[in-house]
Amino acid sequence: SQSRYDSTIDIVLYVYQKQMNTETIRLKKCFDRINALEKTINGLDEQMKNQKASKTKLKNFQSLQEDFKLLKLSGKDNAGDRQVGAWQSFKTTPYSALGDAEKVAMARLYIPSEQDWKRILDASALIDNFHERITSFEERLKKQFPKTMLIDSRKQAPIK
């Protein structure tokens, strides 16, 4: 008699889940970098307040802070000022795209479709873009504030 479940489905679902895990780890590394940048920017903010920085330097720093907020939101949208109950965002971010791909995979009893695999590929492309934007922001921060050392949020030590 034929088994009720096909082992091929289990194998393909395993591969799908492994790919999801890989993308989740990549996104987590991006958020670790965001956390490190946030600590660095908060430290710079304290320095600016204590040092009576020039108007130009303050203006540049405020621009940097605004751009950082936008960068952070591009990774994972935030409910912000929306009213209670209006928590859903229609903005696609690496975090939301990965969440959508994960929901599809949760209780799957059949082989993932082409659209399911495309969800992972789309999330991966968004993560790639987010990673590049973080790198670009880090380079800008180093250029504007060359003496600043980025803080590694996991080790609380400077990143080299």
Side-chain angles (χ1 to χ4, degrees):
S1 94
Q2 190 174 2
S3 167
R4 194 169 159 189
Y5 297 104
D6 183 356
S7 63
T8 307
I9 294 172
D10 289 340
I11 293 167
V12 175
L13 284 173
Y14 176 78
V15 171
Y16 187 85
Q17 285 294 343
K18 288 294 280 185
Q19 188 62 44
M20 285 293 308
N21 291 345
T22 299
E23 297 307 325
T24 300
I25 289 166
R26 290 180 60 227
L27 185 58
K28 183 194 176 308
K29 287 179 181 177
C30 286
F31 284 125
D32 286 345
R33 291 172 65 197
I34 287 290
N35 290 338
L37 281 167
E38 191 164 34
K39 288 180 184 205
T40 302
I41 288 171
N42 289 342
L44 278 170
D45 191 33
E46 285 298 313
Q47 286 177 19
M48 292 289 196
K49 288 175 183 171
N50 295 336
Q51 289 180 352
K52 303 265 192 239
S54 70
K55 283 186 180 183
T56 306
K57 200 167 188 175
L58 275 174
K59 199 174 241 183
N60 287 340
F61 182 66
Q62 287 168 343
S63 169
L64 192 78
Q65 284 178 307
E66 286 302 312
D67 290 347
F68 176 73
K69 286 177 189 172
L70 294 174
L71 174 64
K72 189 175 176 182
L73 287 174
S74 75
K76 180 181 178 186
D77 200 18
N78 159 346
D81 296 332
R82 292 192 291 268
Q83 70 185 60
V84 176
W87 57 271
Q88 279 191 317
S89 170
F90 297 104
K91 184 177 175 188
T92 302
T93 64
Y95 183 84
S96 69
L98 199 55
D100 290 346
E102 203 166 17
K103 284 177 197 162
V104 166
M106 294 294 252
R108 190 51 61 93
L109 298 174
Y110 50 90
I111 291 178
S113 68
E114 194 175 313
Q115 291 91 343
D116 297 335
W117 287 103
K118 185 174 178 339
R119 281 187 182 95
I120 292 179
L121 290 174
D122 290 348
S124 181
L126 288 168
I127 293 167
D128 288 343
N129 181 272
F130 187 46
H131 179 273
E132 289 168 17
R133 292 183 65 202
I134 293 169
T135 300
S136 175
F137 186 86
E138 286 171 339
E139 288 168 1
R140 177 180 165 201
L141 180 66
K142 286 177 189 174
K143 196 176 286 180
Q144 278 188 269
F145 298 91
K147 293 179 183 174
T148 302
M149 294 180 74
L150 295 176
I151 305 296
D152 184 334
S153 62
R154 292 163 309 224
K155 298 177 193 145
Q156 296 300 313
I159 296 174
K160 295 192 169 127

